[in-house]
Amino acid sequence: MAAVAPERPHGTRESEVTVVLAGGHEGGAAAGAVSAGRPLADAVGAALAAAPGPVCVVPMTLGRDPGLIAECARALRWLGRGEGHGRVVLAPPFATVDHLTAWLRTAALRAVRESPGTSAVLVTAPAAGPFEDADLFRVARLVRQYGHHRWVEVAFDGGDPDLAEGVERCRRLGAEQVALVRAAFAAPAAVPAGVLDTGPLLSDAAIAQVVRARAQEALHRLSHGQDGVAGGLDAEHGHGYAHSHGPGADHDHGHDHGPAHGTGTGTGHTPSHPHDGEPGHGHAHGHAHGGGHGHGRSPH
């Protein structure tokens, strides 16, 4: 948990907010995050008891874990009805796939500057589920499309293909130097010999800057009565296997499409638009975001 000084929307009294980071399969623990579920609920409960100010939860996803957002929302739903009423807020996710794509492009370009012989980039992350892993292949394709590398391949730490297999594929394709870039907060368990490890995707300072921006945006929404929980509960909608209830079926998923927006589902729709080399910035609430951005084009 960390404390940051929030903005003061509409002249409300200044207080200190406690920020709790929640992590999932992308290795958020490496950034100081607690696991979603009971550990998160316990951490938020302790924060509520320790200080009178608001408590903000930031889902530490890089855009491939909509389930983390939903888990955070479920943990906060009950706390927000009790002692946390009006004090607990779910922030927009740390990043979306648009941010991730931009940051990976920057890391790949940095690898070329540091090692001009680099001809292949191996994008890696801890293995998760089939849909989350498939998302990484899509991201890698965009990195290649808008980058300057002939080969951009994917490998998973503890998954299929693993890192050794990914490196071997790059070399069979003809790459002399392979650079590993992390699409996760956590470092891989082991880096194959002869591979350039580009290190953490973001510096500690950059991570802190993004967290601060997300917390400030969340507090601004909270001042307007939007705690982000309803939108977070809907974060997994459309992720995974499609299902149908047949023609004319009357089925209620129980989703609450409230006024809060920008909780992020890994689809690329986000209130913070990435710029190459920048960790992201906040964006004011109160208007709808068009559906045309974030699909199949370079992040801006």
Side-chain angles (χ1 to χ4, degrees), residues 168-188:
E168 179 63 20
R169 172 171 172 76
C170 290
R171 288 176 174 159
R172 285 180 178 274
L173 289 171
E176 295 182 2
Q177 175 66 59
V178 180
L180 183 149
V181 295
R182 305 174 191 174
F185 295 103

Side-chain angles (χ1 to χ4, degrees), residues 1-294:
M1 293 184 287
V4 297
E7 63 179 2
R8 300 177 60 189
H10 301 292
T12 56
R13 70 179 182 86
E14 186 173 359
S15 60
E16 193 171 75
V17 58
T18 301
V19 177
V20 179
L21 310 182
H25 65 75
E26 293 162 300
V34 299
S35 298
R38 174 53 60 185
L40 174 61
D42 289 345
V44 173
L48 288 169
V55 178
C56 174
V57 172
V58 180
M60 296 298 285
T61 172
L62 291 166
R64 297 189 307 108
D65 195 358
L68 173 63
I69 303 168
E71 285 186 66
C72 290
R74 286 190 287 269
L76 298 184
R77 177 170 52 182
W78 305 111
L79 288 168
R81 292 175 180 176
E83 62 178 329
H85 181 68
R87 294 174 57 200
V88 173
V89 60
L90 179 61
F94 179 87
T96 68
V97 289
D98 278 355
H99 295 100
L100 178 60
T101 302
W103 291 333
L104 288 173
R105 288 176 57 199
T106 299
L109 291 172
R110 184 170 62 246
V112 171
R113 288 196 298 267
E114 295 176 356
S115 179
T118 298
S119 53
V121 170
L122 186 63
V123 178
T124 184
F131 295 98
E132 292 80 8
D133 290 352
D135 285 343
L136 191 58
F137 282 92
R138 175 182 177 273
V139 169
R141 182 66 180 86
L142 293 174
V143 172
R144 178 187 176 190
Q145 181 72 28
Y146 301 109
H148 304 282
H149 299 85
R150 183 173 181 184
W151 299 292
V152 178
E153 299 295 321
V154 170
F156 298 97
D157 193 16
D160 179 25
D162 63 19
L163 270 63
E165 291 172 317
V167 172
E168 179 63 20
R169 172 171 172 76
C170 290
R171 288 176 174 159
R172 285 180 178 274
L173 289 171
E176 295 182 2
Q177 175 66 59
V178 180
L180 183 149
V181 295
R182 305 174 191 174
F185 295 103
V191 178
V195 174
L196 174 65
D197 183 359
T198 60
L201 182 62
L202 298 171
S203 67
D204 290 344
I207 290 174
Q209 179 183 346
V210 176
V211 168
R212 184 183 180 88
R214 300 298 177 262
Q216 288 181 340
E217 182 174 352
L219 291 174
H220 184 64
R221 294 179 182 178
L222 186 62
S223 71
H224 291 272
Q226 300 176 12
D227 63 9
V229 172
L233 292 170
D234 200 37
E236 289 182 289
H237 185 59
H239 184 78
Y241 290 107
H243 63 279
S244 173
H245 304 287
D250 184 12
H251 180 78
D252 181 12
H253 287 269
H255 303 307
D256 182 1
H257 299 277
H261 69 279
T263 54
T265 63
T267 62
H269 298 291
T270 170
S272 297
H273 303 284
H275 297 259
D276 286 351
E278 297 181 10
H281 58 282
H283 183 73
H285 71 94
H287 64 273
H289 294 281
H293 67 282

